Amino acid sequence: MSFLKILLAVTILATFTSNLYAKKDTELLFYIGITMIKPVNELARNFEKEYSCKIKILQGGSQDLYDSIKMSNVGDLYLPGSVSYRDKHLKDGLLLDGMFVGYNKMAMVVKKGNPKNIKADLNELTNENLRVVLGNETSGSVGKATKKVLQKFGNYQQAILNSLYLAPDSRNLTKALVTDEADVILNWYATTFWDDNKNQVEPLKIDEKYAKKAKLVFNLLKTSKHKELIKKFMIYAASQKGQKIFKKYGFLDEDDIKNFHKVTF
């Protein structure tokens, strides 16, 4: 583990422990992948009012967050950008109950108005006349999903070689477009719904045979000292009210909601 991750884990532990003694309200620590921050923040603020608790949200790349959980041994809830992180890490024993809440799906993303007239075609990512930035598979779910999509399409290595650089997470991918470092990125579709982004970027939909939707699953952490309260939060997140919030931010559509309770993981 890198020194930066160790430092992050130690900081989390020190900050969270001191806060526990400083405040009367129950404090909860959530580890949330960057792309899902908007809906989780809204859910958390509603939940705080009803249950007189304080929720601290730590955001980052899905793998980096898991490494921090493992190192600090502190926290209550983990939401990575794909259920694959649950599958990968269940054997460690840190992830307990899971709750499905929506989907992440990939899209090509360009500047608003698509000034370069980029086609909704993954071959564009190997176009040497375009500035391409892709996600790093080792740091976040978006990079891992990028690899899966492009390997299935058949141009992963070529696209990587054509990239200016690899971004650690979805936020930095969007930043590359907004700051005019990139013409096109491959990112989570939901990021184009954010208030900060929707007037600056737009999605180009990818054929679903290459970009399969990734299930989003909340994970109760073994380290939680408030497991029953966390279970209530998870049930709230999967309720009709929670579904409306996830739909608002692009993680569910009408068909997804109709089939919501049929989803297994």
Side-chain angles (χ1 to χ4, degrees):
M1 183 180 291
S2 69
F3 174 75
L4 183 60
K5 289 180 181 177
I6 293 173
L7 182 61
L8 175 61
V10 172
T11 302
I12 293 164
L13 180 59
T15 302
F16 190 62
T17 303
S18 64
N19 285 342
L20 280 174
Y21 290 102
K23 299 180 181 179
K24 293 180 181 179
D25 289 346
T26 298
E27 291 210 1
L28 307 173
L29 179 61
F30 291 4
Y31 296 81
I32 308 298
I34 286 172
T35 310
M36 290 77 68
I37 285 298
K38 300 288 185 179
V40 175
N41 187 61
E42 186 169 333
L43 290 166
R45 302 296 79 86
N46 295 342
F47 193 80
E48 285 176 332
K49 293 174 186 176
E50 184 170 353
Y51 289 94
S52 297
C53 61
K54 181 65 177 176
I55 297 173
K56 179 180 175 63
I57 297 177
L58 183 68
Q59 56 182 295
S62 298
Q63 185 58 49
D64 290 343
L65 289 174
Y66 184 80
D67 291 341
S68 297
I69 296 167
K70 198 170 182 180
M71 182 66 185
S72 67
N73 210 36
V74 168
D76 299 282
L77 194 64
Y78 171 53
L79 178 61
S82 167
V83 72
S84 63
Y85 288 88
R86 176 177 174 84
D87 299 337
K88 177 181 178 182
H89 296 301
L90 265 178
K91 63 182 184 298
D92 293 342
L94 280 173
L95 309 181
L96 304 180
D97 297 1
M99 181 70 74
F100 167 76
V101 290
Y103 295 101
N104 242 346
K105 57 184 177 181
M106 296 290 283
M108 293 171 62
V109 183
V110 298
K111 296 173 187 175
K112 194 72 173 179
N114 194 7
K116 293 288 182 78
N117 295 313
I118 296 169
K119 300 187 293 292
D121 181 347
L122 291 169
N123 281 312
E124 293 279 50
L125 300 178
T126 59
N127 184 339
E128 295 179 359
N129 295 316
L130 295 175
R131 296 172 298 168
V132 177
V133 175
L134 297 176
N136 189 330
E137 65 162 312
T138 65
S139 61
S141 60
V142 70
K144 190 174 181 181
T146 292
K147 183 176 182 178
K148 185 178 291 187
V149 168
L150 297 183
Q151 281 187 330
K152 193 167 187 179
F153 186 74
N155 69 346
Y156 178 64
Q157 291 299 331
Q158 299 97 309
I160 290 293
L161 290 172
N162 192 47
S163 300
L164 295 177
Y165 61 86
L166 302 182
D169 50 47
S170 60
R171 177 184 293 152
N172 281 282
L173 281 167
T174 300
K175 182 181 177 182
L177 272 183
V178 172
T179 59
D180 198 33
E181 294 179 18
D183 299 316
V184 59
I185 60 174
L186 198 56
N187 204 357
W188 294 120
Y189 174 73
T191 62
T192 64
F193 280 69
W194 297 2
D195 288 341
D196 295 343
N197 299 339
K198 63 185 180 183
N199 294 323
Q200 302 187 76
V201 304
E202 64 181 67
L204 303 177
K205 291 187 178 180
I206 302 170
D207 191 324
E208 285 196 12
K209 70 180 178 181
Y210 302 116
K212 189 176 180 181
K213 294 186 293 189
K215 295 172 187 174
L216 293 174
V217 175
F218 273 116
N219 296 273
L220 171 63
L221 295 177
K222 183 180 180 181
T223 55
S224 177
K225 295 179 173 61
H226 309 283
K227 291 183 175 63
E228 292 308 311
L229 189 57
I230 293 301
K231 288 178 182 178
K232 288 180 180 179
F233 179 86
M234 292 165 69
I235 291 170
Y236 166 56
S239 70
Q240 288 186 345
K241 289 182 179 179
Q243 290 172 39
K244 286 181 181 178
I245 291 173
F246 276 102
K247 180 186 176 186
K248 172 181 171 183
Y249 292 101
F251 295 100
L252 291 170
D253 59 28
E254 287 297 338
D255 287 337
D256 296 331
I257 289 175
K258 287 177 185 176
N259 296 294
F260 190 89
H261 294 291
K262 298 177 183 178
V263 178
T264 58
F265 59 91

